[in-house]
Amino acid sequence: QVHLVESGGGSVKAGGSLKLSCTGSGNIYKSYYWGWIRQVPGKKREGVAGINSDGVTQYADSVKGRFTISKDSAKNTLYLQMNSLEPEDSALYYCALDVSFPTLFDRPLFQGQGTQVTVSS
């Protein structure tokens, strides 16, 4: 089993920055894809960013140039540096693991409980 715990969420004003972290424990394969998904109540969940074991990354168009995903494999920890935050970025951010980018953002094998990000104008 795999356990993911997110942290780093909070409330900031538009233009501000936050850095999310996700630490994983359990049977985590080195080949797993790691990613961030966000959810706003009443809206479809959105894949924000992902990274694979080779360091290849993917980003949603809405966050390109503002967010940076990174991973410390030795610590099984995933990060999301979020800059130039906008009110539209407000959501519950989940950390996820899966075996490919498409499934990572759709129905990940493992997902954390989420950390709330609120951006005020």
Side-chain angles (χ1 to χ4, degrees):
Q1 188 56 285
V2 171
H3 189 52
L4 302 172
V5 178
E6 303 95 336
S7 62
S11 297
V12 296
K13 290 189 176 181
S17 298
L18 282 173
K19 186 172 185 178
L20 306 183
S21 299
C22 168
T23 300
S25 59
N27 196 18
I28 298 176
Y29 294 118
K30 292 185 183 296
S31 58
Y32 276 153
Y33 288 57
W34 291 69
W36 293 96
I37 303 165
R38 64 187 180 187
Q39 176 85 62
V40 176
K43 293 189 177 182
K44 186 179 178 180
R45 61 192 293 162
E46 178 186 20
V48 176
I51 185 167
N52 70 9
S53 58
D54 294 324
V56 176
T57 58
Q58 280 196 5
Y59 293 93
D61 288 342
S62 58
V63 307
K64 282 180 181 176
R66 300 188 298 121
F67 291 10
T68 302
I69 189 170
S70 61
K71 178 165 66 76
D72 185 332
S73 297
K75 296 181 179 179
N76 277 334
T77 300
L78 182 71
Y79 304 99
L80 186 67
Q81 177 66 47
M82 305 186 295
N83 299 327
S84 302
L85 282 162
E86 304 167 352
E88 293 73 24
D89 295 317
S90 297
L92 189 61
Y93 284 70
Y94 298 94
C95 174
L97 291 182
D98 208 284
V99 297
S100 71
F101 281 128
T103 50
L104 176 68
F105 298 138
D106 185 17
R107 291 186 179 184
L109 288 172
F110 306 103
Q111 179 177 301
Q113 293 299 307
T115 185
Q116 180 67 40
V117 171
T118 303
V119 184
S120 58
S121 57

